[in-house]
Amino acid sequence: MSEHKGILLYAEVTRDRYIHTVFFELANKAVELSKKLGGCEVSALLITEPNQLENYRDGFINSGIDKVYIFEDEKFSRYDTEIYSQLAINLVKEIQPEIMLIGATNQGRDLAPRISSALHTGLTADCTDLDINEKLQLAATRPTFGGQLMATILCKKMPQMATVRPKVFKPMAENAVRNTEFIKKTIDTSQIASKVELLDFVKTLENELNELDSAEIIISGGRGIGTSEGFEMLNELARLLNGTVGASRVAVDMGIAPKSIQIGQTGKTVRPKIYIACGISGAIQHIVGMKDSDKIIAINTDENAPIFNVADLGIVGDINKILPELIEYLKKTKK
Amino acid sequence: MKIALCIKQVPDTSDIKWTEHNTIKREGVESIINPYDVYAIESALQIKRVCTDVEVTVITMGPAQAEDMLRKAIALGIDKGALVTDRKFAGADTYATGKTLAQSINTIVPDFDIVICGQFAIDGDTAQTGPSIANHLNIPQITFVKEVVECNDKYIIVKRQADDGIETLKAPLPVLLCVLQGYQEPTRAKINGYITAQKAEIKTYTLEDIGLTAEDVGLKGSPTYVSKAFRPIVTHNCEKIHANDGTIELICNKIEEFKAGKNE
Ligand SMILES: Cc1cc2nc3c(=O)[nH]c(=O)nc-3n(C[C@H](O)[C@H](O)[C@H](O)COP(=O)(O)OP(=O)(O)OC[C@H]3O[C@@H](n4cnc5c(N)ncnc54)[C@H](O)[C@@H]3O)c2cc1C
Ligand SMILES: Nc1ncnc2c1ncn2[C@@H]1O[C@H](COP(=O)(O)O)[C@@H](O)[C@H]1O
């Protein structure tokens, strides 16, 4: 098709100086895709401050990839959209990969569209499956419409780009030790300056003891809950029922529920006695995280919502009406 | 200060139809304003409250009926509306959408200081359009914005949801923001807002007006295409009832029953 060859992965460095786990998951998948492409090269892009490489070296060697391209500078102590995307764009233009994969973390989702757009190519977000089709194209499958539909997307430009959420693919099972080659790229950083300045950072505290593991009853909210006040209602219900609160990914993405309580493929897997899904459509990625609950109750305005396919009791109705009534009723009967 | 605000009309996700090209059919489907774009509007209004001399233009690329949504934004206090509409825009992926919107912004608000988008649209769910616009405008971006802390005509300070916590960032203008639901209470439209909105002139822009060609936009200008769309299948027997007077009691009884572990 063209002279584009090989798979390039973005090796995200976290704030506390780790290679993000999603990289190893991507590496595993990339090695598999590379076999289908006749054994093309799999490489990684690492952007880091100086003297950190030794900490990452073993991880790369065990990930089964062939090459790591390294950009090192004091200026790379923190992720910056414009600087990082520029480095990635330059590397892509130089090595011309046919595929580029990036983890769909908040960093990756900030970076990836910036790169693809500058390279005038396409990007498929949040893929749940990647494969090589009979024409040797990257076939990227992703859910749309809240997971009610799956779509397989192809790209007619190079590189074909995709992002994948953490935990979607498995990391390498056994050590896939390769003779990984480390290539330091030299760049003139005198012209590079970050425009966006970091003034402050407050780390999120993960719940020390995540109650979701032990709770008998989980009351979970999704997009249908809509607001933080809506989640307050769920908290109150949880107190009354002696349970705890969970959330769909959309609720987390909306910023109305913390990431630590996300249930599903990229969140927690739970098996309480009772799972109450409020305003959750029942996308397959959510269902995999809660389907083994003993009993499932679902409340949803849409009578065709897929969540009813796994529920034992399904209430077709509006949570804004049902939940306040339920709270009132429980308060009364408790006394 | 000039703000360009990009909002999108999305089909209600429980009512989807597809065209023969496997793209989403927009006509005849119940439409709502993308929920994240409500927060985008909110952020623009907030900047209007804290800064003087702010003019916000709300822009959408979509079918003629999207005009209603622009009027709704105006009713909330947005100053102007622009509808970018052309049959040739149909089937655009995020690359083509980003390019079209960037070009629209350059045409409609050439002297913009801030561009505000929602973090993502619930139909495509990609979160890519904002960064794509920023790239085409060649300006910095801040995504996952939760709150505007400070703003003046030189710079903006925002709180951003990072993977591991909340960052406070300062960016010079011009800049593009993609916003999540923040901490602020949503604004409601007032009666005179509705009146202003009814009277407001919404300007319409076609492909030609924004100076792009048919090759740049829509399905033609999109590097990606859908090759296949299918439904994930799961089935199970569910006792399904429509909410009625006895629903609350039923739920409580079922909870007791399930708790006790009585199986059917
Ligand atoms: C790689 C990947 C991994 C993912 N991992 C996860 C994961 O771990 N967990 C997860 O949850 N999702 C995950 N998702 C996302 C998933 O595909 C769905 O987008 C998500 O689960 C949908 O969340 P939701 O049900 O809250 O929102 P929606 O799908 O938008 O559903 C909202 C529902 O609320 C109902 N509703 C609206 N208003 C009301 C009301 N007033 N009363 C009652 N009902 C109402 C609607 O009818 C609708 O059914 C993942 C996606 C990808 C691509
Ligand atoms: N057709 C459009 N018109 C105006 N704004 C849009 C359009 N498509 C996307 N956007 C903006 O880009 C954001 C992200 O959309 P998406 O990339 O589709 O998830 C939305 O919240 C809007 O602010």
Side-chain angles (χ1 to χ4, degrees):
Chain A
M1 191 178 196
S2 68
E3 57 290 17
H4 291 263
K5 220 166 165 34
I7 303 174
L8 177 64
L9 310 174
Y10 174 62
E12 175 178 338
V13 177
T14 64
R15 205 180 307 260
D16 24 15
R17 308 277 176 277
Y18 286 102
I19 299 295
H20 197 291
T21 48
V22 72
F23 167 75
F24 301 100
E25 298 156 12
L26 291 177
N28 189 20
K29 190 65 177 187
V31 169
E32 181 192 318
L33 296 178
S34 137
K35 284 184 192 137
K36 294 187 183 169
L37 285 168
C40 67
E41 197 169 274
V42 181
S43 55
L45 160 62
L46 173 69
I47 303 172
T48 170
E49 55 192 341
N51 308 319
Q52 290 293 322
L53 181 59
E54 282 320 305
N55 303 338
Y56 308 139
R57 189 182 290 272
D58 286 351
F60 283 120
I61 292 175
N62 292 332
S63 70
I65 64 165
D66 303 296
K67 277 186 186 159
V68 183
Y69 294 96
I70 305 148
F71 290 91
E72 274 184 347
D73 197 275
E74 300 295 348
K75 287 177 176 161
F76 309 150
S77 59
R78 174 179 81 79
Y79 169 73
D80 179 274
T81 313
E82 282 178 291
I83 297 176
Y84 280 45
S85 55
Q86 197 51 55
L87 295 173
I89 291 159
N90 293 349
L91 182 67
V92 168
K93 285 185 178 159
E94 182 193 325
I95 69 169
Q96 310 228 346
E98 59 199 298
I99 294 174
M100 181 172 188
L101 306 178
I102 298 177
T105 58
N106 283 17
Q107 183 184 122
R109 292 162 84 196
D110 185 81
L111 177 69
R114 195 82 196 202
I115 300 174
S116 60
S117 165
L119 292 167
H120 310 289
T121 188
L123 171 63
T124 306
D126 289 349
C127 301
T128 47
D129 193 22
L130 297 175
D131 201 0
I132 301 296
N133 72 8
E134 62 289 351
K135 286 187 187 148
L136 299 182
Q137 291 166 293
L138 178 71
T141 300
R142 72 182 300 264
T144 56
F145 290 97
Q148 296 195 43
L149 269 161
M150 305 296 286
T152 300
I153 294 171
L154 304 177
C155 180
K156 53 191 181 201
K157 291 274 186 65
M158 290 283 163
Q160 308 159 82
M161 291 181 60
T163 65
V164 181
R165 295 252 173 185
K167 292 196 200 171
V168 170
F169 297 140
K170 292 201 170 56
M172 202 59 91
E174 75 269 41
N175 277 359
V177 182
R178 283 260 176 146
N179 215 345
T180 310
E181 198 183 330
F182 292 85
I183 302 159
K184 284 200 185 171
K185 304 297 288 180
T186 45
I187 30 150
D188 174 15
T189 55
S190 61
Q191 303 300 321
I192 298 179
S194 174
K195 290 194 197 119
V196 179
E197 198 184 329
L198 179 69
L199 301 180
D200 185 35
F201 172 67
V202 181
K203 204 172 165 67
T204 312
L205 297 175
E206 289 289 314
N207 290 7
E208 278 157 298
L209 203 162
N210 205 321
E211 291 174 71
L212 288 169
D213 293 327
S214 53
E216 281 209 334
I217 300 186
I218 294 174
I219 300 111
S220 237
R223 170 139 49 209
I225 293 289
T227 60
S228 311
E229 294 81 64
F231 260 85
E232 257 321 299
M233 202 153 66
L234 296 185
N235 281 325
E236 177 155 22
L237 194 56
R239 278 192 292 275
L240 289 164
L241 288 171
N242 218 348
T244 192
V245 174
S248 76
R249 195 195 85 194
V250 167
V252 172
D253 281 350
M254 286 174 85
I256 59 179
K259 170 81 190 155
S260 57
I261 64 166
Q262 181 184 315
I263 290 164
Q265 186 182 338
T266 46
K268 289 216 141 223
T269 302
V270 295
R271 3 179 17 151
K273 265 194 168 162
I274 307 176
Y275 188 90
I276 308 178
C278 305
I280 293 179
S281 61
I284 191 75
Q285 294 86 8
H286 187 79
I287 287 178
V288 294
M290 45 65 80
K291 66 176 185 340
D292 294 329
S293 307
D294 290 350
K295 293 288 176 189
I296 295 166
I297 301 176
I299 308 173
N300 198 307
T301 37
D302 171 15
E303 72 175 298
N304 297 318
I307 190 74
F308 291 128
N309 294 336
V310 295
D312 298 281
L313 174 65
I315 310 289
V316 181
D318 186 344
I319 40 175
N320 293 317
K321 189 166 175 304
I322 295 170
L323 293 186
E325 283 178 20
L326 188 57
I327 289 169
E328 272 315 298
Y329 184 90
L330 287 168
K331 273 188 185 159
K332 255 189 256 150
T333 49
K334 270 227 159 148
K335 274 179 203 153
Chain B
M1 186 190 319
K2 296 260 168 78
I3 299 179
L5 169 67
C6 296
I7 68 173
K8 186 185 191 184
Q9 200 177 37
V10 293
D12 193 337
T13 49
S14 54
D15 183 24
I16 313 150
K17 291 178 192 78
W18 295 75
T19 66
E20 73 236 63
H21 304 299
N22 279 334
T23 57
I24 298 144
K25 193 166 179 171
R26 304 269 160 187
E27 293 84 15
V29 179
E30 180 83 47
S31 293
I32 55 172
I33 166 164
N34 176 38
Y36 289 85
D37 298 346
V38 175
Y39 314 136
I41 296 173
E42 202 54 48
S43 305
L45 292 175
Q46 198 202 335
I47 295 172
K48 264 185 86 95
R49 283 193 288 269
V50 298
C51 298
T52 44
D53 246 352
V54 181
E55 186 184 79
V56 187
T57 307
V58 58
I59 301 175
T60 193
M61 175 187 97
Q65 48 154 322
E67 193 185 310
D68 288 353
M69 180 188 68
L70 297 176
R71 288 195 195 279
K72 278 193 188 127
I74 293 172
L76 290 170
I78 300 302
D79 303 288
K80 289 176 163 180
L83 175 69
V84 182
T85 188
D86 203 304
R87 289 211 154 271
K88 300 202 176 71
F89 294 148
D93 71 0
T94 53
Y95 173 80
T97 304
K99 191 172 192 173
T100 308
L101 285 171
Q103 198 51 36
S104 307
I105 293 168
N106 275 331
T107 309
I108 302 162
V109 202
D111 49 348
F112 71 90
D113 299 286
I114 305 177
V115 179
I116 306 180
C117 291
Q119 180 59 42
F120 59 79
I122 63 165
D123 53 352
D125 218 349
T126 73
Q128 286 170 190
T129 307
S132 177
I133 297 173
N135 172 69
H136 282 108
L137 292 173
N138 199 15
I139 58 171
Q141 74 194 36
I142 306 180
T143 54
F144 301 96
V145 170
K146 281 192 75 80
E147 193 188 348
V148 175
V149 180
E150 199 186 315
C151 183
N152 57 42
D153 46 358
K154 303 244 157 30
Y155 63 83
I156 188 163
I157 298 178
V158 299
K159 285 198 194 305
R160 168 178 194 268
Q161 178 73 61
D163 291 294
D164 53 350
I166 304 285
E167 296 174 332
T168 305
L169 297 166
K170 179 177 170 182
L173 306 185
V175 69
L176 177 140
L177 310 176
C178 296
V179 302
L180 289 173
Q181 179 179 26
Y183 311 106
Q184 72 275 23
E185 273 287 311
T187 307
R188 292 189 186 213
K190 301 210 178 69
I191 294 289
N192 20 359
Y194 285 116
I195 297 170
T196 316
Q198 275 316 312
K199 288 195 206 140
E201 183 205 355
I202 306 271
K203 279 208 188 142
T204 299
Y205 296 80
T206 62
L207 177 62
E208 217 164 74
D209 298 329
I210 60 165
L212 289 174
T213 68
E215 271 61 47
D216 295 320
V217 300
L219 201 57
K220 266 193 192 164
S222 298
T224 63
Y225 56 100
V226 179
S227 76
K228 184 166 81 181
F230 55 99
R231 292 190 151 237
I233 320 158
V234 228
T235 44
H236 173 86
N237 267 343
C238 171
E239 179 187 346
K240 208 192 290 180
I241 56 156
H242 285 259
N244 57 41
D245 291 344
T247 303
I248 303 300
E249 257 191 282
L250 172 76
I251 296 175
C252 291
N253 291 342
K254 281 285 181 185
I255 290 176
E256 285 311 316
E257 183 191 316
F258 291 165
K259 244 204 303 212
K262 270 182 282 176
N263 275 339
E264 268 82 67

